[in-house]
Amino acid sequence: CPLPLDPYDVRQESEMLQPLDFNRRLLLKPVAKVFKAEITNVIRLTKMEKLFHIRIIDEADRARFTFLPGQFVMVEVPGYGEAPFSISSSTSNKGFIELCIRKAGTVTNALHRAQRGAKVGIRGPFGNHFPLERMKGHSILLIAGGLGLAPLRAPIYYVTENRADFKNVHILYGTKSPDQLLFDYQYESWRRID
């Protein structure tokens, strides 16, 4: 003999009381917003990599945009698509973000042809971050190879700007050949960190 169940009215569930939202857009986080941005500077680092300074156009959006060391953004190039790139700049810089981009595909080829003033879309930031707050009071060892230095640049800035909070700081970096070294103009200032 089955146990009798009390009737349950699903129409009283909180999700059922919300307006219909088939694409669940109301649940998307604000980071899903596309910020209109422009390329303000392009610096050639190697034969394959360039450093892009990208500024969010709207002043209020620019002031609101924050990220943590190690996070990335999605960059949309109209007509070509979008791709993820690690943020390579200081978290304290509110004027623009820096992205180190290797020429490797459709979106990156389009970006490498772009000039100052080119418009792009930015979504994010996304991803985990380096737990630098928890590392305070400890020694830091940052290790990267090749393009892997790009996502480590934000933590390097953070450690530099908060140097008194950390013990010994060491950066170990290598590439297949010297012509692939990134940010070599900053090595001397990084040596002075410790």
Side-chain angles (χ1 to χ4, degrees):
C1 175
L3 294 172
L5 294 175
D6 292 333
Y8 181 75
D9 188 358
V10 295
R11 294 175 294 177
Q12 299 309 309
E13 290 287 331
S14 63
E15 284 187 353
M16 298 301 287
L17 298 174
Q18 301 297 321
L20 290 178
D21 183 23
F22 294 109
N23 294 323
R24 304 183 66 82
R25 290 176 190 221
L26 296 175
L27 298 179
L28 292 177
K29 295 179 181 177
V31 294
K33 176 182 178 175
V34 177
F35 297 103
K36 293 178 182 174
E38 69 177 335
I39 297 171
T40 58
N41 198 14
V42 181
I43 302 164
R44 177 172 293 283
L45 299 174
T46 70
K47 186 171 73 171
M48 297 297 289
E49 287 90 13
K50 290 183 178 180
L51 184 66
F52 292 82
H53 293 187
I54 299 180
R55 182 177 68 86
I56 295 172
I57 294 171
D58 183 77
E59 198 171 317
D61 285 342
R62 190 177 333 128
R64 259 194 321 264
F65 184 86
T66 61
F67 67 94
L68 296 170
Q71 290 190 298
F72 70 95
V73 291
M74 297 296 292
V75 177
E76 177 190 354
V77 181
Y80 292 93
E82 72 175 351
F85 300 104
S86 295
I87 302 171
S88 296
S89 51
S90 170
T91 57
S92 63
N93 181 1
K94 298 296 182 199
F96 59 89
I97 59 171
E98 294 177 309
L99 305 175
C100 179
I101 299 174
R102 175 176 286 164
K103 186 177 178 182
T106 305
V107 173
T108 57
N109 277 301
L111 282 167
H112 271 249
R113 290 190 305 271
Q115 302 293 318
R116 283 184 191 176
K119 304 296 188 258
V120 294
I122 300 273
R123 287 191 308 117
F126 298 107
N128 293 324
H129 64 282
F130 292 94
L132 294 171
E133 287 292 323
R134 289 196 333 233
M135 294 177 175
K136 288 183 175 182
H138 298 281
S139 294
I140 303 288
L141 172 62
L142 299 167
I143 303 172
L147 188 58
L149 186 60
L152 282 187
R153 205 158 159 251
I156 291 170
Y157 276 120
Y158 183 89
V159 169
T160 303
E161 293 165 2
N162 299 281
R163 184 61 192 95
D165 294 339
F166 301 96
K167 291 183 180 176
N168 297 320
V169 178
H170 299 283
I171 302 167
L172 182 60
Y173 174 59
T175 59
K176 291 180 184 177
S177 64
D179 64 327
Q180 295 177 339
L181 290 168
L182 298 173
F183 310 111
D184 55 353
Y185 56 90
Q186 291 188 295
Y187 297 166
E188 195 54 45
S189 66
W190 293 348
R191 279 187 190 96
R192 291 191 300 267
I193 291 174
D194 210 19

